């Protein structure tokens, strides 16, 4: 494979080159500006919900009223409370492609958001730990369809130049949710009554309410419309948002032709079933990469920090609830800042370069953290305090987020949208969600058990796994930067298919150049002919 992942069916970047000739920035285009504003409220908030949940269950474990009401759960019970969200997500995944294909991207987001609102209400009104766990399963059941549809809709509506940045920002919203949840729990930490945990639990419905109000302000995915033979609607959307109303736009004509030709070829090879994912060598490669990426995003040590931050601080002798909440809020804010900055530079580097930088830096960070954790916990267990090791612990916990965000946050959905062709995109991202949720369920369940039984040695497990991630990415991840979604549709297939899908675009661009040359020749002749 030569470290390139065996990608052979890359189409010539004809449309990409055409789009790159457009030097007008997005914020100077009125319709595109409006589109991106609605994308922010209707789609970016989806990951805000995920971030809110991961931080909520982390921060509530520090809130005294929550610990008292649920009798300070430990070990496996604490694990299942955290993991219930992922369990709910796993249960919903088989239905996502069917819902997506039937109701479109917008309908899927609307339905998933309604389910999450019901889950948040049950969670805030829970009277025992069983009801609380059930509420988290309901919340988890609703989130995957929103994530799959939202990430796809952003990639399919965005102008090709901004698409990688938009899909990167999709995951940045995760940290907005984390900061919000950490801030709310910090504010309710000292409330003596049960409202100290009920208020944050109920407020988890807020992002879903925003999505319900805003989702139908967005147009539907042009690719979904084309796949359902609604060509005129798709064309009108591309004209309005990608050409600012110019019906004669060469870019839109090329986009429309490329989408139609590519989807036609995809439909010929697709049975629109789960078996499509293993039908060819190319699909099996996508499946392997997607499955592993799902595991990598959850088994790289992030769930340890996201869900058990308070326990990690407890292990090194930091006992005060308010101190934990301050550090937790500070870490969430720091993660949001560095995630946003990194997402702004995602188009400047190749995808493989960022993934390898991410995993190598994570291994370095975790190795150093393991050493400092051993020193700090040993001192705490001996009844002393190693201040230098404690500071190092907190430093490496804070350093973790930029290392993780370089690849697994900034690129995850950008990469998934690029790797999977349209006809299998919902199933492909659902598989990513499945493996991510399975990994998340497993790690959130076993993390408290591992920390309780072997302490700092539990971190060594993550160090070993990160070594595997580096090797896998180097040998199997393909490069996808610098091409439109349709130019990547046959990434692992015969290049003849990619060229066939590009024939119509090439013809449009060629005719456009020919027309431009004729126009210039006419103007030259007019200027050269003396007027009588």
């Amino acid at each position: 494979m030569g470290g390139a992942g065996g990608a052979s069916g890359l189409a010539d970047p004809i449309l990409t080159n055409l789009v790159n000739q457009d030097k007008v920035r997005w914020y100077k285009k009125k319709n595109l500006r409006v589109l991106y504003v609605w994308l922010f409220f209707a789609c970016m908030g989806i990951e805000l919900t995920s971030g809110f949940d991961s931080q909520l269950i982390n921060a509530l474990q520090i809130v005294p009223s929550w610990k008292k009401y649920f009798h300070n759960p430990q070990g496996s019970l604490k694990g299942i409370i955290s993991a219930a969200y992922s369990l709910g997500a796993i249960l919903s995944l088989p239905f996502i492609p069917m819902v997506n294909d039937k109701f479109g991207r917008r309908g899927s987001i609307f339905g998933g958001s309604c389910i999450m609102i019901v889950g948040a209400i049950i969670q805030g009104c829970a009277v025992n730990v069983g009801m609380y766990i059930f509420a988290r399963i309901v919340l988890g059941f609703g989130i995957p369809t929103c994530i799959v549809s939202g990430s796809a809709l952003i990639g399919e509506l965005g102008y090709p130049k901004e698409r990688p940045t938009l899909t990167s920002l999709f995951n940045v919203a995760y940290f907005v949710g984390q900061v919000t949840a950490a801030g709310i729990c910090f504010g309710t930490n000292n409330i003596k009554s049960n409202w100290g945990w009920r208020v944050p639990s109920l407020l988890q419905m807020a992002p879903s309410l925003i999505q319900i109000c805003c989702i139908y302000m967005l147009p539907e995915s042009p690719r979904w419309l084309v796949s359902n033979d609604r060509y005129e609607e798709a064309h009108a959307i591309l004209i309005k948002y990608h050409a600012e109303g110019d019906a004669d736009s060469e870019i839109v004509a090329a986009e429309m032709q490329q989408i139609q030709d590519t989807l036609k070829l995809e439909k010929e090879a697709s049975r629109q079933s789960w078996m499509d994912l293993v039908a060819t060598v190319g699909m099996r490669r996508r499946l392997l990469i997607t499955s592993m990426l799902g595991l990598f995003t959850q088994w790289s040590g992030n769930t340890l920090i996201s869900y058990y931050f308070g326990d990690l601080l407890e292990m090194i002798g930091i006992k005060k609830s308010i101190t934990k909440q301050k550090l937790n809020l500070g870490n969430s804010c720091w993660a949001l800042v560095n995630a946003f900055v990194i997402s702004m530079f995602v188009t400047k580097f190749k995808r493989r370069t960022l993934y390898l930088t991410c995993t190598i830096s994570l291994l370095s960070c975790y190795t150093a953290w393991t050493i400092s954790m051993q020193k700090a916990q040993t001192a705490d267990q001996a009844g002393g305090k190693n201040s230098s090791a404690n500071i190092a612990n907190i430093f490496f916990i804070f350093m973790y987020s930029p290392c993780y965000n370089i690849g697994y946050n900034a690129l995850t959905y950008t990469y998934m949208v690029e790797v999977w062709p349209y006809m299998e995109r919902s199933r492909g991202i659902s598989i990513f969600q499945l493996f991510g949720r399975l990994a998340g369920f497993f790690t959130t369940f076993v993390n408290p058990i591992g920390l309780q039984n072997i302490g700092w040695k539990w971190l060594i497990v993550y160090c070993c796994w990160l070594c595997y991630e580096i090797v896998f990415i180097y040998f199997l991840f393909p490069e996808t930067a610098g091409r439109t979604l349709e130019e990547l549709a046959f990434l692992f297939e015969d290049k003849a298919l990619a060229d066939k899908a590009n024939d119509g675009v090439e013809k449009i661009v060629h005719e456009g150049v020919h027309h431009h040359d004729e126009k210039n020749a006419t103007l030259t002749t007019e200027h050269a002919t003396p007027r009588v």
Side-chain angles (χ1 to χ4, degrees), residues 485-503:
L485 297 182
E486 280 66 40
E487 288 164 357
L488 291 164
F490 304 104
L491 180 66
F492 293 124
E493 281 74 33
D494 191 340
K495 193 173 188 304
L497 276 174
D499 291 337
K500 188 176 180 181
N502 238 10
D503 285 345

Side-chain angles (χ1 to χ4, degrees), residues 3-290:
S8 60
L10 287 169
D12 295 330
I14 299 170
L15 180 55
T16 299
N17 294 336
L18 188 63
V19 168
N20 288 337
Q21 293 172 23
D22 177 10
K23 302 300 181 184
V24 182
R25 304 301 297 272
W26 66 269
Y27 50 80
K28 293 183 179 180
K29 300 176 181 179
K30 180 184 175 182
N31 292 340
L32 201 58
R33 280 202 313 270
V34 171
L35 175 68
Y36 290 168
V37 168
W38 288 120
L39 275 175
F40 178 81
F41 287 108
C43 292
M44 300 298 183
I46 293 167
E47 275 298 300
L48 193 151
T49 306
S50 291
F52 193 104
D53 182 83
S54 71
Q55 189 54 253
L56 178 72
I57 201 64
N58 179 29
L60 284 181
Q61 291 175 49
I62 304 171
V63 174
S65 61
W66 187 91
K67 293 169 73 173
K68 182 180 178 182
Y69 191 84
F70 293 112
H71 309 294
N72 194 19
Q74 295 295 320
S76 58
L77 179 58
K78 180 185 279 191
I80 197 64
I81 290 172
S82 298
Y85 190 74
S86 294
L87 177 60
I90 292 164
L91 295 174
S92 75
L93 287 169
F95 309 105
I96 292 174
M98 292 182 288
V99 173
N100 235 304
D101 292 341
K102 185 172 179 60
F103 299 104
R105 311 303 196 201
R106 297 182 304 174
S108 300
I109 292 170
F110 185 88
S113 299
C114 290
I115 293 171
M116 285 190 284
I117 289 171
V118 172
I121 292 171
I122 298 172
Q123 181 177 252
C125 299
V127 295
N128 53 48
V129 72
M131 187 173 175
Y132 196 84
I133 290 170
F134 174 74
R136 291 184 53 71
I137 291 174
V138 174
L139 279 161
F141 192 89
I143 191 68
T145 185
C146 292
I147 291 176
V148 171
S149 304
S151 58
L153 187 59
I154 290 171
E156 292 165 5
L157 275 178
Y159 192 57
K161 283 177 76 173
E162 287 90 43
R163 178 180 51 77
T165 303
L166 289 171
T167 45
S168 295
L169 286 172
F170 179 69
N171 250 2
V172 173
Y174 178 93
F175 297 104
V176 177
Q178 275 203 329
V179 170
T180 305
I184 291 170
C185 290
F186 181 77
T188 63
N189 187 73
N190 294 325
I191 296 176
K192 302 298 181 183
S193 71
N194 290 326
W195 288 109
W197 64 267
R198 290 192 190 276
V199 169
S201 297
L202 287 167
L203 285 175
Q204 192 164 352
M205 74 172 77
S208 299
L209 285 170
I210 295 171
Q211 284 151 217
I212 285 175
C213 293
C214 298
I215 189 60
Y216 284 103
M217 301 304 291
L218 278 173
E220 185 53 86
S221 163
R223 289 161 178 84
W224 184 81
L225 292 170
V226 169
S227 71
N228 285 273
D229 300 326
R230 293 161 63 177
Y231 302 104
E232 291 183 4
E233 292 175 64
H235 195 204
I237 289 169
L238 292 176
I239 289 171
K240 180 176 180 180
Y241 295 106
H242 288 194
E244 294 297 301
D246 179 9
D248 297 322
S249 167
E250 189 179 8
I251 290 175
V252 166
E255 268 192 294
M256 192 66 190
Q257 187 67 50
Q258 192 178 63
I259 290 170
Q260 287 178 266
D261 291 348
T262 304
L263 289 187
K264 182 181 177 182
L265 289 170
E266 286 183 33
K267 278 185 176 180
E268 289 173 359
S270 173
R271 290 172 292 179
Q272 292 189 299
S273 75
W274 288 100
M275 293 307 296
D276 287 340
L277 304 189
V278 293
T280 66
V281 173
M283 283 299 174
R284 290 193 290 272
R285 283 186 182 178
R286 289 185 178 93
L287 185 62
L288 176 62
I289 291 166
T290 299

